[in-house]
Amino acid sequence: MYYLIHFTKVFVYFLLISIPYLLHSQKRDSSILDNIIITNQKEQKSQQVLMGVEKINAKLVNKLSFFFGERDMMSVTALMPGVKSESGGQGSISIRGGGYDQNLVLLDGATIYNPAHLLGAFSVFHSDAIKNVTLYKGTAPARYGGRISGVIEAESREGNNTSYIAKGGLGIITSRLSIEGPIQKGKSSFFLSGRRTYADFVAKTFSKKIRGNELYFYDGNAQINFHFNEKNTLSFIGYYGQDRLNLKDLFSINWSNLVGLSHYQHIFSYNSVFNTYLSFNQYKVNLNLDRTRTQSKPLEISFLSRINEFTFRSEWEKVIYQHKILVGMSGLYRNNIPGNVFFDGVALSNLRRNMAEIAIYAQDNWQIIPKLNLQYGLRLQSYLIIGGNNDFYILDKDRNYIRTVKMNGIVKQFISPEPRIALKYSFKPNHSFKIAYNRNSQGVFLINNSLASLPTDRWIIASNNVPISTSNIGVIGYASNIHEWEFSTEAYYKFINNIVDYKDGANANDPIIDQQLLIGKGRTYGIEFLIRKHRGLFSGWIAYTLARAEQKTPGVNNNQYYISRQDRLHDFNIVFITTPNPRLTIALLWTYQTGRAVSLPSAKYKLIDRTVFLYKARNSGRMPPNHHLDFSLSYKLKHYKHLQSELAFSIFNVYARENPFIIQIKEDPEMPNKVNIIQTSLFSIIPSISWNFTIF
Amino acid sequence: MRINYHTIIFSCFLWIACEKKINLPVPKIDPIVVIEAILCNKKGESKVSLSKTEDINNNGSPIPIHNAIVKISEEGSNVVFTFKEKNNSGIYYCNNAIAQINKPYRMSVNVDGKIYESIEKSNTQTNFLCAKIIPTNPAFNQLNNDNGKSTVSVMIMLNNNGNTSSQVITNIFHKGRVVASNQNFVLQPHETRTSRVINIRNINFQDQDSLIVNVKLINKEMYRILESIRNNARQFSATPTTPFSNISNGALGYFQVCISKSDTIKKNDNSQKCPNL
């Protein structure tokens, strides 16, 4: 606490000293034009100071709708070098070898804990509702914190404040509709968007057996903007999405993301902007299981996992001569139910955790000389574990449970100073060398219940037994832009402290999950290449990543480094887009990834009449590689007065590759002493057609 | 109570999935000795099984170990039980081997001159109160049974008198065959009277049939080993790991000293030995 107070003082002094200077300088720096206010200005990669930044806009995504015709922002993000999806889906994304929980996924600044629908087949970000997605692969601006690998920030579409527009799409299993327009012309606007899958409706029509069963998701985005005058803007943004799976009379599960956010922007002058955000977000998993019924008394079992966050962020950006300065502060209160089981509404375990995150940050982007740019900053992040009269577990040195105690006040505090620096040297116009360093920290972790990522995986927060994770990443790279061509390469090394992993033989369902976890170290390193053509008859990119992700946990694998679950040695993506005429767009994608690291047995034996397996080392085996070719074609139909529309045809996985989702070792049902390695694949060849329209 | 909800959920997504057998290169190792030794308080329940690990691609039965010298002795006394192999099966028996409450025992197995040892102690008397067959959720019967077989739900009632947690293992037998094995659970200190339900799936159970419920109290370390065996065999496990062993010199398996109690139960048994909760 002492350090927090001390750093707050330093920050306040910094503000007091700098404000008069900043205000005074407004009169002097009129010659400097900057892109603070012009937010849509495109920046070539060779001109960016930060490394590992990718911007994906809706226009590009609309050309790459391979999976059921869905215009998914996350699926295109996963085609960038250094970004890998767990199973070819869009949900679980690993950035530079980091865990799936190590990415801060933001919708206009509010956290989305599970950006996946239906096991990652779809993401929560579709291009009708989202304007663009910005990806930071570990070296993000100082305003972002709380995750150690990457940041994915989606920016919602604002409503049109001059005319009414309706957009939508009708597809085979999903449809969407969005409406936007002015509330008061030129001053305020609204945007509403909704989407739902209806595979369950179709299936019910054809099969009586599955009536009463459900498997679908829906989501909706809403935004209202008020432009009071040229200097003051207020926005309210909302998102709600839910997945439902219901098997009649047996169990039901639903998981949902909820976001509510307000954003106020005040422009002091053309080079000075103040932003304030206030948001609430919730991720919730609810499972109900009618496990056992007696004649007189039905016994209902339910499972609840929930994470609530209230966030405040306020920051000021200002251009002074060759400096672009950002100062700000943020506060977050997080309430977590990691996974409680209820019998007839009575909690068997009633674990709750509370945490506050407070951060202050400052950053300067300084053009030292025309050829040399420096961006440096500091984020001071503090994590406070708040007791709130909740149960906390006391473990022994071997992390075995001793007893439970109720705690109040601040149970534990972690402070993480996070410096960041990035240097760019442009030795020729459009050619630059870059070097960067970032330190990040994280106080919330996702604990997998199984070898696949499922919605029932539990979020836990740092506690008296689980410290925060910290990472240090160093990157060096080169970028060039020649006409419509872009080439960039970046090499990185990341070291992670306090990475959480299971003990050997852990019981993932243990209510006292702390005793099943061990704290170790991790390291990831790799090199990424990107060649991209932006315009012309043919456009697209080739991305290749050679990378390694490893971790070391005391008591696991003889205390030696072992391969992390998200390690992929090779990752290769080719995207090819052509527009032979203004109406027709054809796109092809081929993607290849090394198979996921898994633990494979070296031998088998029998105990208690069961076949059990001997595992020599954790994650020492590999699943088969994951690759597929996708095709999409969109054809713009003839305009009718106020209607523009297009037909989009796509084939996902053209050569019907059976890519592994998980593998299991199973006894052969016909030969009890024989075991087989069984691979489960999710999506084979999927042709799809959809009709997209705009009414204006 | 355990809920394998992730298994259920994942299974539901399999309607869009396909499965196939594949071949993957797996690391090879030399065979390792596997010992499964149980010393119980009831006559005939004590036995020691000896075998070796085998390649996962082998289709045969486990390779038994013959001509081993197997002894279990009571620590601090001269009581020694010598186990003899029966029918060349690799399973060694000793008719008079009976465990006493709270006594430590040393198991010693000599295989080709290499000695494998383990010391274990029995725990206090089991807190098994009673068992009864209860109606099963109809949905379980619909989903989990083949060929007219059904699911039988058995509720067992237990009592934890101590101030610490107790580790319990339950086996259920039907017509001499194990129909539910290694059902492990921990009673928390506050659970003075509690119940657990075990669903036995795919059982050909008639109204006049009976079940034998055997409940054993084991120690914490043994419970950890049994849990690791269960997690090893479980599908979708987050961290597949070799089951723990409490035997020296690199042998796999376990040496268990247990105190057990049994109850025979029938469907529609109206004797009020097991009250409603």
Side-chain angles (χ1 to χ4, degrees), chain B residues 30-100:
Chain B
D30 292 332
I32 298 171
V33 169
V34 179
I35 301 170
E36 192 173 11
I38 300 170
L39 180 70
C40 261
N41 63 331
K42 286 188 179 169
K43 256 193 172 179
E45 282 191 2
S46 303
K47 65 175 182 180
V48 178
S49 303
L50 301 181
S51 60
K52 285 189 175 177
T53 59
E54 54 183 333
D55 192 281
I56 68 158
N57 295 316
N58 284 0
N59 298 341
S61 302
I63 308 153
I65 296 174
H66 308 297
N67 305 319
I69 302 165
V70 181
K71 288 179 182 174
I72 296 178
S73 55
E74 192 181 306
E75 286 283 272
S77 82
N78 52 8
V79 176
V80 179
F81 305 118
T82 304
F83 286 69
K84 297 288 177 195
E85 188 181 8
K86 270 191 183 171
N87 305 329
N88 241 11
S89 60
I91 304 174
Y92 295 71
Y93 294 93
C94 176
N95 283 339
N96 58 350
I98 291 176
Q100 304 290 325

Side-chain angles (χ1 to χ4, degrees), chain A residues 215 250-251 290-291 293 450-451 504-505 602 604 608 613 615 658 661 664 673-675 677 679 681-682, chain B residues 8 10 15-18 20 22 27 36 54 56 58-60 135 137 140 143 232 235-236 241-242 244:
Chain A
L215 174 61
L250 187 65
F251 85 99
D290 284 349
R291 174 88 170 190
R293 286 179 193 278
S450 64
L451 54 85
D504 275 344
S602 306
K604 62 175 182 176
I608 323 173
F613 301 101
Y615 294 90
E658 289 177 349
F661 179 65
Q664 302 160 73
N673 291 315
K674 189 180 178 216
V675 292
I677 301 175
Q679 172 190 297
S681 309
L682 281 188
Chain B
I8 302 169
F10 181 75
W15 66 276
I16 50 171
C18 63
K20 69 172 183 184
I22 56 168
E36 192 173 11
E54 54 183 333
I56 68 158
N58 284 0
N59 298 341
N137 182 344
F140 271 94
L143 284 179
N232 179 283
Q235 290 172 19
F236 318 126
T241 317
T242 308
F244 301 129

